[in-house]
Amino acid sequence: MPPSTNDRLTKVISKTIGSIPYRFGEAREIMTLFLGVLKYLTPLKLSNLLVREIEKLKRADLPKGFPYHTVIDIINACNLRCPYCPTGRRQNSGRNRRVIDIDLVETFLNNIGDYLIMADLFNWGEPLLHPQIEDIVKMVHKRRIFIQISTNLNIRNKQILEKICSTGLDFMIVSISGTTQKVYEKYHITGEIDLVLDNLRYIIDYKKKLDYINPIIELKYLIFNYNTHQIEGARSLAKEIGVDIFRASYAGGAEEDIIPINEERKKLLYPDTGKFCSQLWRTIVLNSDGGIAPCCFLYFKEDDFAEYNQSNSVNIRDITSNPKYLAARRMFKNSAVSELPKNLQHPCLKCVFVHRQPHLAGYLTANPYANQIHRTGGP
């Protein structure tokens, strides 16, 4: 049994979130992530975290620290056809559909693993489809890194579910959009809600049988205007099955399907909106083909900031200080606007965060390439 499966701190996490009323799903999630990360901290990771946070507050365009959060897109393919996901609608990203090379992950971790605190092993695909996901989780865990995945859980191979539990995976998010097939399949096209629920029961029974606490499981209910009537039923079902956390989350998509959120509510739900992009300081994204992006939103190959390979000569600090990163961070620093090229072409110029910076109003108007568009080309 891996140490992270039932160690003392994991038991503390389980008891702590268990003491929070079930209806407060967001509070349970926040507490799980906060306490979960604590048990992996080392003096080096903590000092780097503090350096990066100070540099973020100062809007340092050439930070000295390293990113402490990574998104590793271990596969950019999916078994479902969710219409508001670029992978689901089979939108061409400029990348071939592929699983990430496990040796590339190892090289990446050798370069930055000592500084990383959290890893998301998902982004644009279904992570449980990677044939070596068990090995990848174990590899990342050796670096003392908190690991989470997000899955549609439309998997028929129960051995995969057992293996992912036995790795000591910290956190698993399972997304649904209804409790009946008719409602669920409106968004999760080709998916089967009964299969998802059966897999949830199987995982929870498997954990009980082996006395495992991890992975902590969150059932994430995506809210559209056509499925709000099933939210409370989904919450009751999650509690009955034994899911640790239930959280209802407003979904994005076409105007006719989403529930509009007013600006005040949006500020409460997304506190960074209109301020700045924290991912430019805290996060590094490794795509399945080795492309490096600064945030989890950029989808297209042409928007990558750099290429990463298995050569030992590649240095993360050099990558995260290259001209694209430098220009991106300067967009959030009032005093550095004058240093931006007049007609800069840059992926971040289509981001809503950039277009909400008051000090950039004149620059964005004058730059013909500064058009706010959807970062994945979707609705």
Side-chain angles (χ1 to χ4, degrees):
M1 180 188 301
S4 59
T5 300
N6 263 12
D7 61 86
R8 185 177 299 176
L9 281 174
T10 302
K11 292 179 180 178
V12 170
I13 295 170
S14 180
K15 289 182 179 180
T16 302
I17 65 171
S19 67
I20 301 173
Y22 197 75
R23 65 183 181 277
F24 298 124
E26 289 187 7
R28 282 187 166 215
E29 180 193 47
I30 291 170
M31 189 59 66
T32 298
L33 297 179
F34 175 73
L35 294 177
V37 163
L38 281 181
K39 71 176 185 177
Y40 292 114
L41 285 178
T42 65
L44 180 60
K45 291 178 189 285
L46 180 58
S47 62
N48 178 70
L49 167 67
L50 295 175
V51 167
R52 269 280 162 150
E53 285 299 302
I54 292 171
E55 291 174 331
K56 183 179 71 174
L57 291 173
K58 292 182 176 180
R59 310 292 200 273
D61 46 20
L62 283 173
K64 296 179 180 179
F66 289 89
Y68 57 83
H69 167 241
T70 186
V71 175
I72 303 177
D73 197 15
I74 64 175
I75 179 172
N76 65 343
C78 186
N79 51 344
L80 301 192
R81 301 296 297 265
C82 304
Y84 306 143
C85 168
T87 306
R89 62 177 176 264
R90 305 300 188 258
Q91 182 170 348
N92 182 15
S93 65
R95 310 179 203 274
N96 294 326
R97 295 175 66 186
R98 60 180 295 163
V99 299
I100 200 166
D101 189 324
I102 193 170
D103 291 334
L104 180 63
V105 177
E106 184 173 25
T107 302
F108 180 74
L109 293 174
N110 286 340
N111 204 313
I112 196 175
D114 290 343
Y115 302 95
L116 292 174
I117 295 172
M118 178 182 288
D120 299 342
L121 300 185
F122 66 94
N123 200 19
W124 300 115
E126 170 50 57
L128 294 185
L129 295 180
H130 196 297
Q132 294 176 288
I133 185 171
E134 177 187 15
D135 298 324
I136 293 175
V137 172
K138 289 179 179 178
M139 182 186 298
V140 177
H141 256 161
K142 285 182 180 178
R143 298 285 183 171
R144 295 186 59 82
I145 300 170
F146 181 93
I147 306 171
Q148 62 177 345
I149 66 169
S150 180
T151 172
N152 59 55
L153 211 59
N154 274 265
I155 303 295
R156 298 193 180 278
N157 187 344
K158 295 293 192 286
Q159 286 187 336
I160 294 175
L161 305 180
E162 293 179 4
K163 287 180 179 179
I164 203 68
C165 288
S166 298
T167 61
L169 174 72
D170 297 285
F171 198 66
M172 176 189 290
I173 303 168
V174 179
S175 64
I176 64 170
S177 54
T179 58
T180 60
Q181 183 63 24
K182 184 178 180 180
V183 174
Y184 173 78
E185 66 184 8
K186 284 186 178 181
Y187 180 70
H188 286 90
I189 297 174
T190 72
E192 299 177 31
I193 186 60
D194 286 343
L195 176 59
V196 176
L197 298 177
D198 179 63
N199 283 337
L200 277 172
R201 291 186 178 97
Y202 188 88
I203 290 172
I204 291 167
D205 287 345
Y206 183 77
K207 286 170 55 182
K208 288 180 180 177
K209 183 173 66 175
L210 297 179
D211 194 30
Y212 284 178
I213 295 174
N214 283 347
I216 299 296
I217 300 174
E218 173 185 301
L219 189 62
K220 181 179 180 181
Y221 189 95
L222 303 178
I223 306 175
F224 297 96
N225 60 18
Y226 56 78
N227 69 1
T228 56
H229 63 290
Q230 292 189 345
I231 294 175
E232 290 309 314
R235 191 192 312 274
S236 297
L237 186 59
K239 190 173 184 179
E240 174 194 328
I241 292 173
V243 172
D244 300 291
I245 301 168
F246 176 85
R247 185 167 65 92
S249 176
Y250 289 98
E255 188 174 339
E256 64 270 18
D257 285 337
I258 65 172
I259 297 177
I261 309 173
N262 63 42
E263 288 301 313
E264 291 303 314
R265 176 64 173 160
K266 191 176 292 184
K267 288 177 182 178
L268 291 173
L269 291 172
Y270 314 108
D272 277 345
T273 300
K275 296 181 180 179
F276 63 96
C277 175
S278 59
Q279 291 196 60
L280 285 169
W281 284 267
R282 76 177 188 193
T283 301
I284 184 168
V285 178
L286 178 65
N287 285 298
S288 57
D289 63 349
I292 293 288
C295 77
C296 61
F297 295 114
L298 294 178
Y299 175 71
F300 298 106
K301 178 68 178 176
E302 64 185 27
D303 290 338
D304 286 347
F305 275 32
E307 288 294 319
Y308 193 82
N309 56 53
Q310 290 163 230
S311 168
N312 290 329
S313 62
V314 178
N315 188 285
I316 295 296
R317 191 187 293 277
D318 292 340
I319 287 176
T320 57
S321 300
N322 70 22
K324 281 190 175 181
Y325 267 101
L326 186 63
R329 296 192 187 102
R330 283 177 174 170
M331 292 179 196
F332 295 90
K333 188 175 182 180
N334 295 25
S335 60
V337 177
S338 60
E339 300 176 46
L340 294 174
K342 183 177 180 181
N343 292 326
L344 175 68
Q345 298 183 52
H346 195 285
C348 293
L349 288 174
K350 53 186 167 183
C351 178
V352 63
F353 277 27
V354 170
H355 284 262
R356 288 183 175 176
Q357 300 303 308
H359 64 277
L360 287 178
Y363 176 82
L364 295 174
T365 301
N367 186 342
Y369 301 105
N371 298 316
Q372 183 185 336
I373 58 176
H374 200 285
R375 290 161 293 199
T376 63

